[in-house]
Each structure stands twice: as structure tokens, then as C-alpha cells.
Amino acid sequence: MDEEYDAIVLGTGLKECILSGMLSVSGKKVLHIDRNKYYGGESASITPLEELFEKYSTPVDPAYGRGRDWNVDLIPKFLMANGQLVKLLIHTGVTRYLEFKSCEGSYVYKGGKISKVPADEREALGSDLMGLFEKRRFKNFLVFVQEYDPADPKTWKDFDSRTQTTQQLYEKFGLDANTQDFTGHAIALYRDDEYLAKPAGDAMKRIKLYSESLARYGKSPYLYPMYGLGELPQGFARLSAIYGGTYMLDKQVDEIVMDAEGKVCGIRSGGEIAKCKQVYCDPTYVPERVRKTGQVIRCICLMDHPVPNTKDALSTQIIIPQKQVGRRSDIYVSVVSYTHQVAAKGWFVAMVSTTVETATPEEEIRPGLALLGPIRQKFVTVSDYYEALDPGQSTQLFISTSYDATTHFETTCLDVLDIFKRGTGEDFDFSKVKHNLGDEE
Amino acid sequence: MASAKIPAQKVILCGDYGVGKSSIFRRFANDTFVASNDRKSTLGLDFYNKAFCSESGTDGHTHACQCPPISKLMVQLWDTGGMERVATVTSSYYKFSEAAILVYSVDNPDSFNSLANHLLEVASFAENAKIFLCGNKIDIITSDLVSNDDVDNFCEQCGIVSGIFKTSCKTGEGVNDMFDEIARVISTSSRSRHELLQLEQSFKLTTADIDSAEQQPDNCVC
């Protein structure tokens, strides 16, 4: 450990592992440390199941089959099939270490029941979410968004997505409040309604991302890795190691050492100091350098049946738009099961999560829990959401934000790419990844 | 590439730091040897696919090397990436593997004694993997510090060892024989993983334009 590194990365959560991989690939000498004995931090999938019960100080119940067959995520997310993380996985070659399955259903909650999210013209016409005339308007809206090319004013039809708002876009097509609701929250995947007053370009990009993702593998725009999300950080850790990154687990970090100019110059663990030019870490390693900006509640539910009204889907995502239940932020329900090797045969893991708005967060997720049917075991966590106090260029200490309540990895990747750019002064160059390591010649 | 896509069978190298896992990998991949003072520890070794022909089936793939209509098996050998140097290897490393080669160095009894730990990891994360034992560096000494009795005891205790080998990566002795035998054993064992996955429809992410994983060499070694 008593060496000098270009960068030291603290914590092996997904963001830190992607960063570690990108830095190693870029030729930096990286030391990657975690205080835990396992890879993944908060992004780990807990196995065996007994550990999950212990983590929540709950007596272990033998009803759940073999503990080893379980890999339970602490933070629920899906990958958008055409999203940023998939691009990162493909460009870095990390996809070669993973197997994926398509999520079977994408649903949205309306008036007490759930309906399939209509994402293309055909589905829009068959949807029970809208009346006949509204379906036509929605179809026209989708066609306009698909054909809209920001670079080609001929496709704009008198609508400028740089200056006009999403609200104006909805009005242009006469979409009613209900349609706006599921479009903004279940297709564009906004967590609240602030987007309505912003330029429509972003919303249009998100709607396109949803339908392009859907087009990739069919049933839903979402993907999920076999053995759980904890495989993702491990894949990027392997990338980093292959490019020379050094890994240390079960290592306490006692101090981030700063020089006279207030710049990072190393980290101390007990009596050892590892020198470095930069530190990248998650907020838990630097509590004095982050501020709490909110809370997220997540409830893990173990069940022995699929979610009612999802056609027995072995994996689903259900979005409850804020307005449907009188809230300011959406409630997300994600379900995976034994088919992803994350539960023993016949078992399902559902996760209900949302951004906390009141002093009684458990009450807030009740509408989500009510959709699940009988729940055998619940584990509730309320976690603080942290952001760095400063962007890090002056200290060379770069801190990722906590994982938000969104059910996909788009914000995760944007944070990572932004940190990489702040840290290295440039965008990540994918051409530096050589896929022929070892397996060609 | 004309040949039909052959499912690769994942084989992993396990063992202490410095026993020669990467050297076995290099012999497997390029038939080369790099002395330890000429290189740093493992850097840049990921996995490597190599085709083997076996007479265990007659599904008749046609391929470049004019083999008779016998089945072709793709062995995909994985190196640890050097993660075991200070930390442990990720659990992902073990997942989906069909076989694990537990490597020790014949001049280092400690590396043999810690195989039980490596075996435990394999059993935890890849319970159906076939286990092979490999004593490496037999060129170094004439009398083994790890005796045949020790090896026999180990195999008896764990009861699931499918093959025992002695190799020298420096001279190349025993390496090809080992992989021929491993390929044979895998091809006769059930192709459960592949079939299971096909049934359950999992897949790897690829795009038409960026996909090097598909471009494997067609160097059949029959």
C-alpha cells in the first residue's frame, strides 16, 4: 500500500467501480479500497439470504429455501436497454462478463389499478388508459416525438424543443392531464412535475430512449442482470484490475490526507499512507464534505407469488405517478424473481421505493405495497441522500452523489461521466479500451 | 465466420498469488512463457477462447480445420485479473463456470494448503463446476514438497476432483494434456448451463458494430 498512485478510489459501489475502470483504462495507476469485506458497497446484492435477515436484525426463517440461492439488491434499478449504462457496458467490454434478461412488463398505476405502459402507436391504440379520441391524440404525439429531429427544422412542425416547454408540447397535441401523467412519469421517467415548465427537448429525448429501449428486446425497455445488480460493480472492478488497478477489501480508511494547498495527497489507514494525486469516493467516506439533500425509502419484500394483474410476470416495473396518490414524487415498484437467480425457486423479490416527503415514510409507500398481494417478509430502509459540497477541482477530491430513487441507471451514469470529466478534464475515450486483451492474436 | 456459434464453456483458474495461473493462461492462449523477472504481475489477461474437438457427439458442425463430423467444444479460460494479489476475487468470477482448475505450486506447500479455501469459494458460487487439481512449476525441483499422498488425501476429503495434473509452464510440459483432458470431461458432462440459459432466454448485450466478443479465432487444436 505504501506506494504512489495517480488515483485512489474509495468504496466499490457501482459508480466508484465504473470510475475505477475508466481511470485504469485511461492509463492511470489506481488503488481501489473498500472498508467492507465484499465488493459493491450499497450496490451489492446480499447473499446468502441469512445475511439479509442479520442485516435487519430479523430472526432467520427457514421457509425460504437455500440461502445461497438468494442475491437481494439493496437499491432496486433496471437498465434501460438503449441507455447510458448499456453503452458503457458494451464500449468497455464489461458486458462480456454478464448475462441479462429482459424485464417482462412495464406498468403504470391509474385510479387504483395498473395498466401496461403504452409505448408505441400500436400499444397506444390498444391501451385501456385512454378513451378513443385521446388515443388518437396520443398516437399523433408519439409519432411527432419519434420523427422529431433537433437537427432538422423540417420535422419540427412549428415546435421548437429548445425554447418551448413540455407543457406547451402536451397542449399542442391536446393531451389530457391523465395522459400527461403517464407520459411524463412512466415513459419519460420524471420523478416529479418540474419538467413541465422546462424546454421539451429533454422530455422528447427521454420518450425516445424509452421506445428505442423497448424496440431492442421486446417486452419492456428494461434489462436486469442474472445474479442481481451486484454483478455490475464487480464487472467494472474486473475491468479495472485487468488494466492494472489494485484492489484492497476490508481496509479501513482513517483519513484523507491534504497538503498545504488544500489538495489531496494521500489516504491513511492505520499507520500506512498511500500517496496519490486524486481521490474518488462515495459520500460515506467523507461525511464532513457532503450535505444531506433528502431521503429515500426502500422496502424489500419477499413473496412466493407474482404481482397480481401482471399476467404472472417474473419481472415487472410498476410506476405510481405522484398525482395518482396525492404526492409530489412517484412511487416505484420493481419485481425480480428466481428466473434471475436472485431468489430460491418459486420466490419473488419486490422493492417499493420513493423519495421521502413526510415524517412517516412507511405510510408513503403503502399504495405500492398494496399492489403486491400477500408479502411474506418486509425489510425497510430509509437512507439519506447526499451531495458533495464542492465539485472537487480545487481539492482533487471527487465525491459521487448517493443513489437516487429512480428505477434505472441513467442518473447514475450521468454522475459518473461528469465526475470523470471533472477529474481528468476530458470525456472518456472509449477507443482506449482494447478488446483484444488475451483473447486474440 | 462460417462455423455455427459454439457455446463457450467457462473454465476458471483459482489459487494463491504467484502459483502460475497467468502462466498457464499464456501457455493456453499463445503457448508462450514469460519469466517472472520480465514482467509485472497479472496485467491485461482476461479470458481466451480455444476450440477443442471431441468424439462425444455427432452434431456435425462444419468448420475450417477439416475435422471429421465430431463435436467441437469451445473452452473459455479465465484468469483472475490479479485481483487476488491483495483482495479477493469477485464472486462474479465464479458464476457460470463449468470447471475450475485449482492451481498450486509444487515448491510451495502453503499454496497447496490454501486450496481448501479456494475450493470453498468455487463450491459457494459455482456449485456445479467440475474441479481439477494442477501442481505447477514441476521444472523447479525434483522432489515434490507436496507429496502424492497429500494430493490423494485432499482429493479423498473433498471427493469431487475430476482430474489431477502436474505441469510446467516454463517447459510447457503437461499443459496441453491437461486442457485436452478437461475439454474431454466437460464435453461428456451435461451441457446443463448452456441449455438452462437457452431455455430461460438470457443473453449478452451486443451491438452490430461494436462487438469483439464474437470475433474469436478458429484455431481448432484437434
mmCIF file of all heavy atoms in Angstrom, chain A residues 350-394:
data_model
loop_
_atom_site.group_PDB
_atom_site.id
_atom_site.type_symbol
_atom_site.label_atom_id
_atom_site.label_comp_id
_atom_site.label_asym_id
_atom_site.label_seq_id
_atom_site.Cartn_x
_atom_site.Cartn_y
_atom_site.Cartn_z
ATOM 1 N N ALA A 350 -39.727 -8.142 -4.383
ATOM 2 C CA ALA A 350 -40.280 -6.869 -4.847
ATOM 3 C C ALA A 350 -39.641 -5.757 -4.025
ATOM 4 O O ALA A 350 -39.297 -5.952 -2.861
ATOM 5 C CB ALA A 350 -41.795 -6.858 -4.657
ATOM 6 N N MET A 351 -39.465 -4.618 -4.645
ATOM 7 C CA MET A 351 -38.920 -3.480 -3.921
ATOM 8 C C MET A 351 -39.814 -2.282 -4.193
ATOM 9 O O MET A 351 -40.125 -1.971 -5.345
ATOM 10 C CB MET A 351 -37.507 -3.210 -4.416
ATOM 11 C CG MET A 351 -36.799 -2.132 -3.673
ATOM 12 S SD MET A 351 -35.879 -2.769 -2.274
ATOM 13 C CE MET A 351 -34.301 -3.108 -3.000
ATOM 14 N N VAL A 352 -40.247 -1.634 -3.122
ATOM 15 C CA VAL A 352 -41.071 -0.427 -3.257
ATOM 16 C C VAL A 352 -40.232 0.731 -2.753
ATOM 17 O O VAL A 352 -39.674 0.664 -1.650
ATOM 18 C CB VAL A 352 -42.376 -0.545 -2.441
ATOM 19 C CG1 VAL A 352 -43.228 0.705 -2.627
ATOM 20 C CG2 VAL A 352 -43.152 -1.788 -2.846
ATOM 21 N N SER A 353 -40.102 1.781 -3.559
ATOM 22 C CA SER A 353 -39.247 2.885 -3.128
ATOM 23 C C SER A 353 -39.801 4.225 -3.566
ATOM 24 O O SER A 353 -40.563 4.316 -4.537
ATOM 25 C CB SER A 353 -37.839 2.704 -3.706
ATOM 26 O OG SER A 353 -37.897 2.656 -5.108
ATOM 27 N N THR A 354 -39.431 5.244 -2.819
ATOM 28 C CA THR A 354 -39.801 6.601 -3.218
ATOM 29 C C THR A 354 -38.951 7.607 -2.458
ATOM 30 O O THR A 354 -38.267 7.271 -1.489
ATOM 31 C CB THR A 354 -41.300 6.887 -2.959
ATOM 32 O OG1 THR A 354 -41.656 8.117 -3.609
ATOM 33 C CG2 THR A 354 -41.601 7.029 -1.472
ATOM 34 N N THR A 355 -39.007 8.844 -2.912
ATOM 35 C CA THR A 355 -38.364 9.943 -2.210
ATOM 36 C C THR A 355 -39.243 10.320 -1.021
ATOM 37 O O THR A 355 -40.451 10.498 -1.169
ATOM 38 C CB THR A 355 -38.234 11.152 -3.160
ATOM 39 O OG1 THR A 355 -37.546 10.712 -4.338
ATOM 40 C CG2 THR A 355 -37.465 12.285 -2.519
ATOM 41 N N VAL A 356 -38.625 10.430 0.160
ATOM 42 C CA VAL A 356 -39.397 10.691 1.381
ATOM 43 C C VAL A 356 -39.914 12.129 1.392
ATOM 44 O O VAL A 356 -39.171 13.078 1.124
ATOM 45 C CB VAL A 356 -38.524 10.419 2.624
ATOM 46 C CG1 VAL A 356 -39.256 10.829 3.896
ATOM 47 C CG2 VAL A 356 -38.135 8.948 2.688
ATOM 48 N N GLU A 357 -41.219 12.288 1.713
ATOM 49 C CA GLU A 357 -41.823 13.629 1.763
ATOM 50 C C GLU A 357 -42.371 13.984 3.137
ATOM 51 O O GLU A 357 -42.666 15.135 3.421
ATOM 52 C CB GLU A 357 -42.977 13.717 0.750
ATOM 53 C CG GLU A 357 -42.522 13.567 -0.696
ATOM 54 C CD GLU A 357 -43.702 13.554 -1.672
ATOM 55 O OE1 GLU A 357 -44.857 13.675 -1.235
ATOM 56 O OE2 GLU A 357 -43.444 13.432 -2.877
ATOM 57 N N THR A 358 -42.577 12.989 3.991
ATOM 58 C CA THR A 358 -43.200 13.246 5.292
ATOM 59 C C THR A 358 -42.361 12.633 6.413
ATOM 60 O O THR A 358 -41.345 11.985 6.155
ATOM 61 C CB THR A 358 -44.610 12.621 5.376
ATOM 62 O OG1 THR A 358 -44.461 11.186 5.417
ATOM 63 C CG2 THR A 358 -45.456 13.017 4.187
ATOM 64 N N ALA A 359 -42.839 12.812 7.638
ATOM 65 C CA ALA A 359 -42.152 12.249 8.798
ATOM 66 C C ALA A 359 -42.487 10.774 8.991
ATOM 67 O O ALA A 359 -41.893 10.098 9.817
ATOM 68 C CB ALA A 359 -42.517 13.036 10.060
ATOM 69 N N THR A 360 -43.450 10.266 8.232
ATOM 70 C CA THR A 360 -43.814 8.853 8.349
ATOM 71 C C THR A 360 -43.654 8.157 6.998
ATOM 72 O O THR A 360 -44.640 7.842 6.319
ATOM 73 C CB THR A 360 -45.281 8.694 8.812
ATOM 74 O OG1 THR A 360 -46.109 9.499 7.957
ATOM 75 C CG2 THR A 360 -45.459 9.138 10.254
ATOM 76 N N PRO A 361 -42.395 7.934 6.584
ATOM 77 C CA PRO A 361 -42.140 7.396 5.231
ATOM 78 C C PRO A 361 -42.807 6.049 4.977
ATOM 79 O O PRO A 361 -43.198 5.775 3.849
ATOM 80 C CB PRO A 361 -40.614 7.289 5.171
ATOM 81 C CG PRO A 361 -40.118 7.486 6.555
ATOM 82 C CD PRO A 361 -41.157 8.229 7.306
ATOM 83 N N GLU A 362 -42.954 5.228 6.005
ATOM 84 C CA GLU A 362 -43.556 3.913 5.755
ATOM 85 C C GLU A 362 -44.994 4.032 5.268
ATOM 86 O O GLU A 362 -45.468 3.180 4.517
ATOM 87 C CB GLU A 362 -43.476 3.040 7.006
ATOM 88 C CG GLU A 362 -42.063 2.519 7.239
ATOM 89 C CD GLU A 362 -42.038 1.275 8.109
ATOM 90 O OE1 GLU A 362 -42.793 0.329 7.812
ATOM 91 O OE2 GLU A 362 -41.263 1.272 9.076
ATOM 92 N N GLU A 363 -45.672 5.095 5.718
ATOM 93 C CA GLU A 363 -47.034 5.330 5.235
ATOM 94 C C GLU A 363 -47.024 5.685 3.753
ATOM 95 O O GLU A 363 -47.958 5.387 3.018
ATOM 96 C CB GLU A 363 -47.679 6.487 6.015
ATOM 97 C CG GLU A 363 -48.000 6.166 7.466
ATOM 98 C CD GLU A 363 -49.038 5.049 7.569
ATOM 99 O OE1 GLU A 363 -50.056 5.131 6.859
ATOM 100 O OE2 GLU A 363 -48.807 4.085 8.325
ATOM 101 N N GLU A 364 -45.944 6.347 3.328
ATOM 102 C CA GLU A 364 -45.888 6.857 1.947
ATOM 103 C C GLU A 364 -45.846 5.745 0.909
ATOM 104 O O GLU A 364 -46.303 5.923 -0.214
ATOM 105 C CB GLU A 364 -44.669 7.771 1.775
ATOM 106 C CG GLU A 364 -44.714 9.000 2.669
ATOM 107 C CD GLU A 364 -43.542 9.924 2.404
ATOM 108 O OE1 GLU A 364 -43.210 10.127 1.220
ATOM 109 O OE2 GLU A 364 -42.952 10.428 3.369
ATOM 110 N N ILE A 365 -45.232 4.597 1.277
ATOM 111 C CA ILE A 365 -45.100 3.534 0.269
ATOM 112 C C ILE A 365 -46.280 2.572 0.288
ATOM 113 O O ILE A 365 -46.334 1.619 -0.478
ATOM 114 C CB ILE A 365 -43.793 2.731 0.454
ATOM 115 C CG1 ILE A 365 -43.693 2.181 1.871
ATOM 116 C CG2 ILE A 365 -42.579 3.586 0.095
ATOM 117 C CD1 ILE A 365 -42.547 1.194 2.034
ATOM 118 N N ARG A 366 -47.268 2.853 1.167
ATOM 119 C CA ARG A 366 -48.414 1.958 1.297
ATOM 120 C C ARG A 366 -49.114 1.663 -0.042
ATOM 121 O O ARG A 366 -49.452 0.512 -0.317
ATOM 122 C CB ARG A 366 -49.402 2.562 2.301
ATOM 123 C CG ARG A 366 -50.345 1.565 2.914
ATOM 124 C CD ARG A 366 -51.259 2.292 3.901
ATOM 125 N NE ARG A 366 -50.647 2.490 5.183
ATOM 126 C CZ ARG A 366 -50.798 1.644 6.198
ATOM 127 N NH1 ARG A 366 -51.526 0.561 6.037
ATOM 128 N NH2 ARG A 366 -50.234 1.878 7.365
ATOM 129 N N PRO A 367 -49.336 2.661 -0.914
ATOM 130 C CA PRO A 367 -50.012 2.345 -2.189
ATOM 131 C C PRO A 367 -49.231 1.330 -3.028
ATOM 132 O O PRO A 367 -49.831 0.519 -3.735
ATOM 133 C CB PRO A 367 -50.071 3.696 -2.914
ATOM 134 C CG PRO A 367 -49.934 4.721 -1.831
ATOM 135 C CD PRO A 367 -49.060 4.105 -0.785
ATOM 136 N N GLY A 368 -47.908 1.365 -2.920
ATOM 137 C CA GLY A 368 -47.083 0.400 -3.656
ATOM 138 C C GLY A 368 -47.214 -0.988 -3.064
ATOM 139 O O GLY A 368 -47.389 -1.984 -3.780
ATOM 140 N N LEU A 369 -47.145 -1.075 -1.740
ATOM 141 C CA LEU A 369 -47.250 -2.371 -1.067
ATOM 142 C C LEU A 369 -48.606 -3.018 -1.344
ATOM 143 O O LEU A 369 -48.713 -4.227 -1.502
ATOM 144 C CB LEU A 369 -47.054 -2.193 0.445
ATOM 145 C CG LEU A 369 -45.668 -1.700 0.884
ATOM 146 C CD1 LEU A 369 -45.651 -1.438 2.393
ATOM 147 C CD2 LEU A 369 -44.590 -2.705 0.508
ATOM 148 N N ALA A 370 -49.645 -2.161 -1.445
ATOM 149 C CA ALA A 370 -50.999 -2.674 -1.634
ATOM 150 C C ALA A 370 -51.159 -3.398 -2.969
ATOM 151 O O ALA A 370 -52.053 -4.224 -3.132
ATOM 152 C CB ALA A 370 -52.002 -1.526 -1.552
ATOM 153 N N LEU A 371 -50.274 -3.114 -3.943
ATOM 154 C CA LEU A 371 -50.383 -3.760 -5.251
ATOM 155 C C LEU A 371 -49.811 -5.169 -5.253
ATOM 156 O O LEU A 371 -50.040 -5.937 -6.189
ATOM 157 C CB LEU A 371 -49.623 -2.947 -6.308
ATOM 158 C CG LEU A 371 -50.127 -1.531 -6.593
ATOM 159 C CD1 LEU A 371 -49.155 -0.830 -7.530
ATOM 160 C CD2 LEU A 371 -51.517 -1.588 -7.211
ATOM 161 N N LEU A 372 -49.030 -5.503 -4.209
ATOM 162 C CA LEU A 372 -48.218 -6.714 -4.276
ATOM 163 C C LEU A 372 -48.935 -7.989 -3.884
ATOM 164 O O LEU A 372 -48.477 -9.073 -4.201
ATOM 165 C CB LEU A 372 -46.973 -6.555 -3.382
ATOM 166 C CG LEU A 372 -46.025 -5.417 -3.758
ATOM 167 C CD1 LEU A 372 -44.851 -5.378 -2.786
ATOM 168 C CD2 LEU A 372 -45.529 -5.574 -5.179
ATOM 169 N N GLY A 373 -50.063 -7.899 -3.191
ATOM 170 C CA GLY A 373 -50.668 -9.109 -2.636
ATOM 171 C C GLY A 373 -49.945 -9.477 -1.354
ATOM 172 O O GLY A 373 -49.188 -8.678 -0.813
ATOM 173 N N PRO A 374 -50.155 -10.697 -0.845
ATOM 174 C CA PRO A 374 -49.542 -11.072 0.436
ATOM 175 C C PRO A 374 -48.012 -10.986 0.385
ATOM 176 O O PRO A 374 -47.398 -11.447 -0.574
ATOM 177 C CB PRO A 374 -49.983 -12.529 0.622
ATOM 178 C CG PRO A 374 -51.161 -12.718 -0.274
ATOM 179 C CD PRO A 374 -50.982 -11.758 -1.419
ATOM 180 N N ILE A 375 -47.434 -10.387 1.420
ATOM 181 C CA ILE A 375 -45.980 -10.231 1.499
ATOM 182 C C ILE A 375 -45.488 -11.077 2.675
ATOM 183 O O ILE A 375 -46.003 -10.961 3.785
ATOM 184 C CB ILE A 375 -45.604 -8.755 1.722
ATOM 185 C CG1 ILE A 375 -46.061 -7.909 0.529
ATOM 186 C CG2 ILE A 375 -44.093 -8.609 1.940
ATOM 187 C CD1 ILE A 375 -46.070 -6.421 0.804
ATOM 188 N N ARG A 376 -44.495 -11.936 2.414
ATOM 189 C CA ARG A 376 -44.028 -12.821 3.483
ATOM 190 C C ARG A 376 -43.095 -12.108 4.461
ATOM 191 O O ARG A 376 -43.106 -12.344 5.644
ATOM 192 C CB ARG A 376 -43.302 -14.033 2.870
ATOM 193 C CG ARG A 376 -44.257 -15.003 2.252
ATOM 194 C CD ARG A 376 -45.079 -15.745 3.288
ATOM 195 N NE ARG A 376 -44.301 -16.736 3.981
ATOM 196 C CZ ARG A 376 -44.127 -17.992 3.556
ATOM 197 N NH1 ARG A 376 -44.726 -18.388 2.465
ATOM 198 N NH2 ARG A 376 -43.393 -18.842 4.234
ATOM 199 N N GLN A 377 -42.255 -11.236 3.928
ATOM 200 C CA GLN A 377 -41.293 -10.578 4.811
ATOM 201 C C GLN A 377 -40.950 -9.220 4.225
ATOM 202 O O GLN A 377 -40.750 -9.102 3.012
ATOM 203 C CB GLN A 377 -40.032 -11.439 4.916
ATOM 204 C CG GLN A 377 -38.947 -10.859 5.789
ATOM 205 C CD GLN A 377 -39.311 -10.915 7.271
ATOM 206 O OE1 GLN A 377 -39.716 -11.951 7.782
ATOM 207 N NE2 GLN A 377 -39.206 -9.791 7.955
ATOM 208 N N LYS A 378 -40.900 -8.205 5.096
ATOM 209 C CA LYS A 378 -40.546 -6.859 4.648
ATOM 210 C C LYS A 378 -39.286 -6.391 5.358
ATOM 211 O O LYS A 378 -39.106 -6.638 6.544
ATOM 212 C CB LYS A 378 -41.672 -5.871 4.986
ATOM 213 C CG LYS A 378 -42.801 -5.852 3.986
ATOM 214 C CD LYS A 378 -43.753 -4.700 4.250
ATOM 215 C CE LYS A 378 -44.548 -4.929 5.518
ATOM 216 N NZ LYS A 378 -45.689 -4.005 5.654
ATOM 217 N N PHE A 379 -38.430 -5.695 4.630
ATOM 218 C CA PHE A 379 -37.253 -5.060 5.220
ATOM 219 C C PHE A 379 -37.251 -3.600 4.764
ATOM 220 O O PHE A 379 -37.145 -3.329 3.564
ATOM 221 C CB PHE A 379 -35.957 -5.716 4.739
ATOM 222 C CG PHE A 379 -35.853 -7.180 5.037
ATOM 223 C CD1 PHE A 379 -36.100 -8.116 4.043
ATOM 224 C CD2 PHE A 379 -35.498 -7.637 6.293
ATOM 225 C CE1 PHE A 379 -35.985 -9.468 4.289
ATOM 226 C CE2 PHE A 379 -35.386 -8.998 6.559
ATOM 227 C CZ PHE A 379 -35.635 -9.917 5.559
ATOM 228 N N VAL A 380 -37.370 -2.682 5.695
ATOM 229 C CA VAL A 380 -37.484 -1.272 5.319
ATOM 230 C C VAL A 380 -36.193 -0.515 5.658
ATOM 231 O O VAL A 380 -35.644 -0.672 6.742
ATOM 232 C CB VAL A 380 -38.670 -0.611 6.044
ATOM 233 C CG1 VAL A 380 -38.756 0.869 5.688
ATOM 234 C CG2 VAL A 380 -39.970 -1.322 5.698
ATOM 235 N N THR A 381 -35.734 0.280 4.726
ATOM 236 C CA THR A 381 -34.577 1.143 4.964
ATOM 237 C C THR A 381 -34.944 2.570 4.555
ATOM 238 O O THR A 381 -35.518 2.774 3.484
ATOM 239 C CB THR A 381 -33.385 0.765 4.057
ATOM 240 O OG1 THR A 381 -33.220 -0.637 4.082
ATOM 241 C CG2 THR A 381 -32.114 1.446 4.512
ATOM 242 N N VAL A 382 -34.607 3.526 5.401
ATOM 243 C CA VAL A 382 -34.704 4.922 4.992
ATOM 244 C C VAL A 382 -33.276 5.430 4.919
ATOM 245 O O VAL A 382 -32.557 5.425 5.920
ATOM 246 C CB VAL A 382 -35.527 5.751 5.997
ATOM 247 C CG1 VAL A 382 -35.536 7.219 5.590
ATOM 248 C CG2 VAL A 382 -36.947 5.209 6.086
ATOM 249 N N SER A 383 -32.814 5.796 3.734
ATOM 250 C CA SER A 383 -31.430 6.256 3.644
ATOM 251 C C SER A 383 -31.357 7.721 3.243
ATOM 252 O O SER A 383 -32.193 8.214 2.487
ATOM 253 C CB SER A 383 -30.608 5.392 2.680
ATOM 254 O OG SER A 383 -31.422 4.784 1.741
ATOM 255 N N ASP A 384 -30.354 8.377 3.794
ATOM 256 C CA ASP A 384 -30.136 9.781 3.466
ATOM 257 C C ASP A 384 -29.512 9.887 2.089
ATOM 258 O O ASP A 384 -28.756 9.023 1.666
ATOM 259 C CB ASP A 384 -29.217 10.430 4.507
ATOM 260 C CG ASP A 384 -29.885 10.486 5.875
ATOM 261 O OD1 ASP A 384 -31.122 10.464 5.918
ATOM 262 O OD2 ASP A 384 -29.169 10.540 6.885
ATOM 263 N N TYR A 385 -29.851 10.972 1.427
ATOM 264 C CA TYR A 385 -29.317 11.219 0.094
ATOM 265 C C TYR A 385 -28.313 12.366 0.205
ATOM 266 O O TYR A 385 -28.640 13.437 0.729
ATOM 267 C CB TYR A 385 -30.482 11.590 -0.831
ATOM 268 C CG TYR A 385 -30.097 11.883 -2.247
ATOM 269 C CD1 TYR A 385 -29.894 10.854 -3.153
ATOM 270 C CD2 TYR A 385 -29.924 13.200 -2.678
ATOM 271 C CE1 TYR A 385 -29.539 11.130 -4.452
ATOM 272 C CE2 TYR A 385 -29.562 13.477 -3.981
ATOM 273 C CZ TYR A 385 -29.373 12.431 -4.862
ATOM 274 O OH TYR A 385 -29.007 12.707 -6.147
ATOM 275 N N TYR A 386 -27.090 12.136 -0.212
ATOM 276 C CA TYR A 386 -26.031 13.129 -0.027
ATOM 277 C C TYR A 386 -25.480 13.655 -1.348
ATOM 278 O O TYR A 386 -25.408 12.920 -2.335
ATOM 279 C CB TYR A 386 -24.866 12.522 0.756
ATOM 280 C CG TYR A 386 -25.185 12.169 2.178
ATOM 281 C CD1 TYR A 386 -25.358 10.832 2.548
ATOM 282 C CD2 TYR A 386 -25.316 13.143 3.154
ATOM 283 C CE1 TYR A 386 -25.656 10.492 3.858
ATOM 284 C CE2 TYR A 386 -25.609 12.819 4.466
ATOM 285 C CZ TYR A 386 -25.781 11.488 4.814
ATOM 286 O OH TYR A 386 -26.082 11.160 6.105
ATOM 287 N N GLU A 387 -25.084 14.918 -1.308
ATOM 288 C CA GLU A 387 -24.384 15.517 -2.457
ATOM 289 C C GLU A 387 -23.100 16.149 -1.961
ATOM 290 O O GLU A 387 -23.032 16.610 -0.815
ATOM 291 C CB GLU A 387 -25.243 16.613 -3.082
ATOM 292 C CG GLU A 387 -26.399 16.084 -3.897
ATOM 293 C CD GLU A 387 -27.275 17.215 -4.435
ATOM 294 O OE1 GLU A 387 -26.902 18.398 -4.251
ATOM 295 O OE2 GLU A 387 -28.304 16.901 -5.022
ATOM 296 N N ALA A 388 -22.102 16.222 -2.835
ATOM 297 C CA ALA A 388 -20.833 16.843 -2.452
ATOM 298 C C ALA A 388 -21.026 18.346 -2.241
ATOM 299 O O ALA A 388 -21.849 18.972 -2.894
ATOM 300 C CB ALA A 388 -19.801 16.596 -3.542
ATOM 301 N N LEU A 389 -20.243 18.897 -1.307
ATOM 302 C CA LEU A 389 -20.311 20.346 -1.067
ATOM 303 C C LEU A 389 -19.660 21.136 -2.189
ATOM 304 O O LEU A 389 -20.047 22.254 -2.485
ATOM 305 C CB LEU A 389 -19.629 20.689 0.257
ATOM 306 C CG LEU A 389 -20.363 20.253 1.533
ATOM 307 C CD1 LEU A 389 -19.498 20.497 2.758
ATOM 308 C CD2 LEU A 389 -21.689 20.989 1.660
ATOM 309 N N ASP A 390 -18.616 20.568 -2.792
ATOM 310 C CA ASP A 390 -18.000 21.279 -3.911
ATOM 311 C C ASP A 390 -17.598 20.298 -5.007
ATOM 312 O O ASP A 390 -17.458 19.102 -4.755
ATOM 313 C CB ASP A 390 -16.809 22.123 -3.426
ATOM 314 C CG ASP A 390 -15.569 21.292 -3.224
ATOM 315 O OD1 ASP A 390 -14.847 21.058 -4.203
ATOM 316 O OD2 ASP A 390 -15.340 20.835 -2.081
ATOM 317 N N PRO A 391 -17.442 20.784 -6.233
ATOM 318 C CA PRO A 391 -17.230 19.880 -7.367
ATOM 319 C C PRO A 391 -15.864 19.195 -7.376
ATOM 320 O O PRO A 391 -15.659 18.245 -8.134
ATOM 321 C CB PRO A 391 -17.388 20.789 -8.588
ATOM 322 C CG PRO A 391 -17.149 22.161 -8.088
ATOM 323 C CD PRO A 391 -17.594 22.181 -6.658
ATOM 324 N N GLY A 392 -14.939 19.641 -6.554
ATOM 325 C CA GLY A 392 -13.722 18.868 -6.355
ATOM 326 C C GLY A 392 -12.472 19.293 -7.105
ATOM 327 O O GLY A 392 -11.387 18.824 -6.786
ATOM 328 N N GLN A 393 -12.611 20.192 -8.089
ATOM 329 C CA GLN A 393 -11.398 20.521 -8.851
ATOM 330 C C GLN A 393 -10.315 21.153 -7.984
ATOM 331 O O GLN A 393 -9.128 20.912 -8.191
ATOM 332 C CB GLN A 393 -11.712 21.461 -10.030
ATOM 333 C CG GLN A 393 -12.348 20.763 -11.220
ATOM 334 C CD GLN A 393 -13.852 20.884 -11.205
ATOM 335 O OE1 GLN A 393 -14.461 21.047 -10.148
ATOM 336 N NE2 GLN A 393 -14.467 20.815 -12.380
ATOM 337 N N SER A 394 -10.715 21.961 -6.982
ATOM 338 C CA SER A 394 -9.711 22.658 -6.177
ATOM 339 C C SER A 394 -9.023 21.717 -5.186
ATOM 340 O O SER A 394 -7.866 21.910 -4.844
ATOM 341 C CB SER A 394 -10.355 23.828 -5.436
ATOM 342 O OG SER A 394 -11.411 23.337 -4.628
#
